[in-house]
Amino acid sequence: MLDASSQALLFGLALLANTLSALAGGGAGLLQLPVLLFLGLAFPTALATHKIASVALGVGATLRHLSSGRIDWRFAGFILLTGLPGVWLGTQIILQLPDALARAALGVLTLGLGVYSWRRPSLGVQANHQHRDRAGMLMGGIGLFAIGLLNGSLTSGTGLFVTLWLVRWFGLDYTRAVTYTLILVGLFWNGAGAIALAQQAPVMWHWLPALLLGSLLGGYFGAHWALKSGSRVVKRAFELLTVAVGAKLLWDALV
């Protein structure tokens, strides 16, 4: 059992990580997963525990975003149907992959996201819906399936991939893209991944109350901040967090 100070640490870091994640559209694992590993959990146990806690991020963000009227439920269903099979497949292979190699590859990709967005100042500032014909939706669905595969197999920062894909391919502004990411990835993709991982690895259940509360509150506060700030602020938060997540993953892989 963790003492009160350790529980407070878990809550504080979960609150911080998920507030930033809800603002930027992903990246809660940057702080949350490493803390679980530092406190002595084996990687499979830390991953399964973090994945369950991350569902509360989706719950908190959903509570705030549902009142915004920004959700096209038909498009939301498309994201679910194309991404969830990839999530399930990813959970079947994650525990078989070398951790250092997986972290290094994801670190390079995540850094690339931040640089790509930063080099395009107008990207995602205003909505410009595109690729909504049959061919465009097919390619978009393939992209979401591939990101779902990453989401199920790797836990840090994959929501950021969804956010940028919705901005770049479908032409959403950052604020609306983050809305879809937090509800569909945070709640449904992570929920599916949590169920699958919990069947393969032990979960530290008595650590979850602090993590769940921090994730729930962080998801709500971050979503509120994103809606109030607008796409330019969300874009900057996205770029900063992708660089931080990518650098952290590379450091973990190389040290």
Side-chain angles (χ1 to χ4, degrees):
M1 295 290 291
L2 291 178
D3 57 24
S5 61
S6 296
Q7 291 281 0
L9 174 64
L10 285 179
F11 168 77
L13 288 173
L15 179 64
L16 174 62
N18 287 280
T19 298
L20 294 174
S21 179
L23 174 63
L30 171 67
L31 292 175
Q32 194 160 277
L33 182 64
V35 167
L36 298 181
L37 295 171
F38 176 77
L39 291 175
L41 296 188
F43 181 75
T45 300
L47 179 59
T49 303
H50 162 70
K51 207 69 168 179
I52 293 172
S54 67
V55 177
L57 164 64
V59 174
T62 298
L63 292 174
R64 180 63 183 89
H65 278 293
L66 282 178
S67 63
S68 69
R70 294 173 173 269
I71 304 169
D72 177 346
W73 290 107
R74 185 176 180 181
F75 186 57
F78 169 77
I79 297 173
L80 283 180
L81 288 175
T82 52
L84 281 176
V87 174
W88 179 85
L89 183 60
T91 62
Q92 305 308 302
I93 63 176
I94 176 55
L95 301 181
Q96 315 302 322
L97 295 177
D99 183 45
L101 177 61
R103 287 174 184 267
L106 187 61
V108 171
L109 289 172
T110 307
L111 273 171
L113 294 185
V115 173
Y116 180 85
S117 179
W118 174 69
R119 296 277 294 177
R120 288 160 175 78
S122 64
L123 181 69
V125 175
Q126 294 183 339
N128 181 27
H129 291 181
Q130 59 188 11
H131 296 138
R132 300 303 177 92
D133 58 358
R134 183 173 299 179
M137 294 295 282
L138 176 61
M139 289 301 298
I142 292 172
L144 289 167
F145 175 84
I147 298 169
L149 182 67
L150 286 175
N151 179 269
S153 59
L154 299 166
T155 188
S156 295
T158 51
L160 299 167
F161 284 69
V162 177
T163 297
L164 187 60
W165 184 244
L166 294 178
V167 169
R168 178 63 184 87
W169 185 256
F170 290 111
L172 275 63
D173 60 79
Y174 267 100
T175 302
R176 193 175 298 269
V178 166
T179 297
Y180 286 110
T181 297
L182 293 176
I183 294 175
L184 302 174
V185 176
L187 190 57
F188 293 99
W189 287 24
N190 285 346
I195 292 170
L197 285 170
Q199 295 173 346
Q200 302 178 69
V203 176
M204 198 64 70
W205 294 106
H206 60 280
W207 291 26
L208 280 173
L211 292 171
L212 288 171
L213 182 59
S215 298
L216 178 67
L217 294 176
Y220 185 89
F221 292 143
H224 180 77
W225 191 3
L227 289 171
K228 293 296 184 182
S229 300
S231 289
R232 289 189 182 276
V233 172
V234 175
K235 175 179 169 65
R236 285 290 172 260
F238 173 88
E239 291 162 358
L240 290 172
L241 199 57
T242 49
V243 170
V245 170
K248 180 64 168 60
L249 288 168
L250 283 173
W251 175 264
D252 290 344
L254 297 174
V255 173

